[in-house]
Amino acid sequence: QAAALLLAYPDAHLLECLDAARAALAEVGVDPAPLEPLADWLTGRPLHEVQSDYVQEFDLSRRHSLHLTYWTDGDTRRRGQALAAFKEVYRAHGCVLAGGAELPDFLPLVLEFAARVSPDAGYELLQRYRPSLELLRLALRDDALPHEGIVALVCSTLPGPSPEDRAAVQAMAGYGPPTESVGLDPADPRLLPFTPASEGAGHGRR
């Protein structure tokens, strides 16, 4: 839940909750140090500037998309099926997204679901989209954005170490070389598989 809060759109409530987030991490035995660069980023300037930077980095730039299916499905028609699968999981646990809400694969929303509704189902979603999480982490690292530490903490709750680079993420997911999927037909064999091989092997922002 702390990660869900810290990765969401920054507002006054988030700033007020920074100490609570630190305490929550410490309470479960997690070193809160990775939070500090983000705390500095959030509090070092007027809030409206922080919000503007967040919109630039996470809404207007696809380099740091917080939507998990974007990393696996891009802007293909197949992405609609992936989003519907998220909704089915939520619906099975009595959750229905309100009209105008975020897309169901929005990472803070998935984290909130895992924290407050169904840890097991939320964990499964995060594990299924582990490659998306790792690609996001690497993109944040490459662009020196402090949110990397929070995404890395989320990844650390999942089995195995995080890959060092994108090629290692592709290998972990069982994908071939990266390919451009935007605009391809859903049946095109160049598309990455929607279901990671590991399964078979054992606001209103978009």
Side-chain angles (χ1 to χ4, degrees), residues 19-31:
D19 285 341
R22 291 185 181 96
L25 292 175
E27 184 177 335
V28 295
V30 176
D31 183 359

Side-chain angles (χ1 to χ4, degrees), residues 73-149:
D73 296 279
D75 284 330
T76 65
R77 284 174 285 173
R78 186 182 60 173
R79 189 179 177 200
Q81 296 175 323
L83 293 172
F86 274 86
K87 290 182 179 179
E88 285 298 318
V89 173
Y90 297 155
R91 189 176 297 113
H93 292 84
C95 299
V96 178
L97 298 182
E102 264 293 353
L103 292 176
D105 64 335
F106 185 55
L107 179 55
L109 179 63
V110 179
L111 293 169
E112 186 79 6
F113 172 78
R116 301 186 62 185
V117 179
S118 175
D120 290 341
Y123 183 87
E124 195 277 333
L125 286 173
L126 292 170
Q127 177 62 10
R128 184 188 307 173
Y129 283 89
R130 176 74 177 273
S132 298
L133 288 169
E134 298 291 359
L135 290 171
L136 170 61
R137 177 184 61 82
L138 291 171
L140 294 170
R141 181 197 68 182
D142 291 348
D143 291 339
L145 288 173
H147 304 75
E148 178 208 351

Side-chain angles (χ1 to χ4, degrees), residues 2-206:
L5 176 72
L6 293 166
L7 292 173
Y9 182 76
D11 55 17
H13 175 67
L14 169 55
L15 300 185
E16 293 169 358
C17 289
L18 287 175
D19 285 341
R22 291 185 181 96
L25 292 175
E27 184 177 335
V28 295
V30 176
D31 183 359
L35 185 156
E36 298 311 320
L38 179 57
D40 291 342
W41 188 86
L42 291 167
T43 60
R45 297 161 295 152
L47 179 57
H48 69 89
E49 293 183 13
V50 175
Q51 292 172 331
S52 177
D53 284 351
Y54 181 95
V55 169
Q56 180 62 46
E57 298 294 350
F58 295 101
D59 292 349
L60 301 181
S61 171
R62 296 184 179 183
R63 284 182 54 81
H64 317 119
S65 177
L66 293 173
H67 292 94
L68 296 176
T69 64
Y70 178 76
W71 296 93
T72 54
D73 296 279
D75 284 330
T76 65
R77 284 174 285 173
R78 186 182 60 173
R79 189 179 177 200
Q81 296 175 323
L83 293 172
F86 274 86
K87 290 182 179 179
E88 285 298 318
V89 173
Y90 297 155
R91 189 176 297 113
H93 292 84
C95 299
V96 178
L97 298 182
E102 264 293 353
L103 292 176
D105 64 335
F106 185 55
L107 179 55
L109 179 63
V110 179
L111 293 169
E112 186 79 6
F113 172 78
R116 301 186 62 185
V117 179
S118 175
D120 290 341
Y123 183 87
E124 195 277 333
L125 286 173
L126 292 170
Q127 177 62 10
R128 184 188 307 173
Y129 283 89
R130 176 74 177 273
S132 298
L133 288 169
E134 298 291 359
L135 290 171
L136 170 61
R137 177 184 61 82
L138 291 171
L140 294 170
R141 181 197 68 182
D142 291 348
D143 291 339
L145 288 173
H147 304 75
E148 178 208 351
I150 307 305
V151 176
L153 285 177
V154 173
C155 292
S156 73
T157 69
L158 302 173
S162 286
E164 291 295 325
D165 54 36
R166 287 170 179 76
V169 175
Q170 297 284 339
M172 178 183 73
Y175 297 159
T179 58
E180 175 60 59
S181 65
V182 175
L184 296 180
D185 184 89
D188 194 297
R190 290 174 290 167
L191 288 172
L192 298 179
F194 165 54
T195 303
S198 57
E199 288 191 357
H203 108 348
R205 283 176 298 276
R206 181 175 177 86

